Amino acid sequence: MRLKRKKSRPITADAILVADLHLTESTPVSRIDDYIEAQFSKLSFLEELRQQHSCSILCAGDIFDYWKSSPWLCLWISRKMPQMITIPGNHDLPMHSLSLYNKSALALVEEMGKVWVLKNPGNTIKTTNGLNVTGIPFGQINDFEFPIGKRNGKKILLLHELVWEKQVPSWASASLSAGHLLDQFGDSFDLILTGDNHQTFVVEKDGCVLVNPGSMMRITADQENHKPCCYLYYAESNEVHPVF
């Protein structure tokens, strides 16, 4: 009897998954280091990964910590940040309103050609390696009609809403459970990438994977034990693997 050999993982990934970069020129009160340099180091790390794997970076919102960021920060981001596909998060939007998007720093960085922003519910873009990426900006989940049934090529949803793995915190006025999202959207997408919750978790159900990468930086004191990471996505097996 011959044992089946476990299929090895491809050398290169098909996408890099991140969320909640919260780029800022202000140093959080809990940090005593050079916070600008710390953010630059993370962005450089992402760019190195992007070049290594020759794939797209997908971000589930909140590139900026504040929608009205300074021209200096926008210029710094345009020079240092790797290109990526993203959606507007609540911190990216004036008054959390998508209708005011054109007033945001994210709109300026988009105009600079640094990011592709899926800013209308249901906007879809196909990556160079054939991934179909659909975006739902913050606050727009109820205005999107989800397609039924998967089509050719892997389908990925970018979503910026408060999603929790298990227990909803008492302070959360509105949130979604990972299980509920997988039940509702699992027939339409192979992968759901969520942002807003700064914790890190992965949930899989019936062939659909939900990834919440958590925040790219340790921002508050209660994140002392948080291990920032991004995820590599392998389309053929529909698997994700963290890179810390």
Side-chain angles (χ1 to χ4, degrees):
M1 178 178 178
R2 297 180 62 185
L3 297 176
K4 290 184 179 180
R5 296 182 62 183
K6 187 176 181 181
K7 191 174 182 179
S8 60
R9 190 189 315 161
I11 296 175
T12 58
D14 297 288
I16 299 167
L17 313 178
V18 297
D20 294 289
L21 278 59
H22 287 275
L23 299 175
T24 178
E25 59 187 291
S26 302
T27 301
V29 295
S30 60
R31 301 288 297 242
I32 59 174
D33 58 340
D34 185 336
Y35 196 65
I36 292 291
E37 180 58 33
Q39 293 173 98
F40 172 63
S41 176
K42 294 288 179 67
L43 294 178
S44 297
F45 177 75
L46 289 176
E47 174 61 14
E48 290 172 5
L49 271 183
R50 188 188 71 82
Q51 292 187 20
Q52 176 186 344
H53 292 274
S54 298
C55 65
S56 299
I57 299 176
L58 309 181
C59 177
D62 278 355
I63 283 181
F64 284 93
D65 190 56
Y66 179 46
W67 69 269
K68 196 177 181 180
S69 295
S70 70
W72 177 87
L73 182 63
C74 292
L75 181 60
W76 178 80
I77 288 174
S78 72
R79 292 173 175 172
K80 304 296 184 182
M81 191 176 74
Q83 286 194 326
M84 59 182 66
I85 300 169
T86 190
I87 54 174
N90 55 318
H91 283 256
D92 295 317
L93 295 172
M95 300 179 67
H96 296 178
S97 174
L98 186 61
S99 65
L100 300 176
Y101 171 79
N102 287 334
K103 294 184 176 182
S104 69
L106 182 59
L108 177 59
V109 173
E110 179 187 22
E111 187 69 20
M112 293 175 174
K114 206 62 183 182
V115 293
W116 290 276
V117 183
L118 304 175
K119 50 185 174 289
N120 295 312
N123 275 171
T124 299
I125 188 173
K126 184 182 287 288
T127 66
T128 55
N129 55 359
L131 303 179
N132 300 292
V133 182
T134 300
I136 303 180
F138 173 77
Q140 303 299 308
I141 190 170
N142 294 326
D143 296 330
F144 177 60
E145 294 184 3
F146 290 87
I148 302 300
K150 300 183 178 73
R151 301 173 184 172
N152 293 334
K154 292 295 182 180
K155 296 182 68 177
I156 299 173
L157 175 65
L158 306 186
L159 180 66
H160 194 89
E161 297 288 344
L162 186 59
V163 177
W164 291 90
E165 180 182 11
K166 296 177 181 177
Q167 186 175 0
V168 179
S170 58
W171 50 263
S173 57
S175 64
L176 298 165
S177 71
H180 174 75
L181 281 176
L182 289 167
D183 287 340
Q184 188 172 1
F185 309 144
D187 289 338
S188 301
F189 297 96
D190 301 283
L191 174 73
I192 303 173
L193 176 61
T194 58
D196 198 26
N197 185 346
H198 290 186
Q199 297 180 8
T200 303
F201 57 86
V202 177
V203 182
E204 188 274 336
K205 187 174 183 180
D206 297 332
C208 183
V209 180
L210 184 147
V211 182
N212 192 91
S215 60
M216 185 183 75
M217 306 295 297
R218 297 183 182 93
I219 302 171
T220 57
D222 62 0
Q223 287 188 298
E224 179 182 3
N225 297 318
H226 174 60
K227 296 180 179 179
C229 71
C230 62
Y231 282 84
L232 299 179
Y233 174 62
Y234 298 89
E236 183 178 358
S237 59
N238 204 44
E239 293 180 339
V240 296
H241 296 272
V243 181
F244 292 95

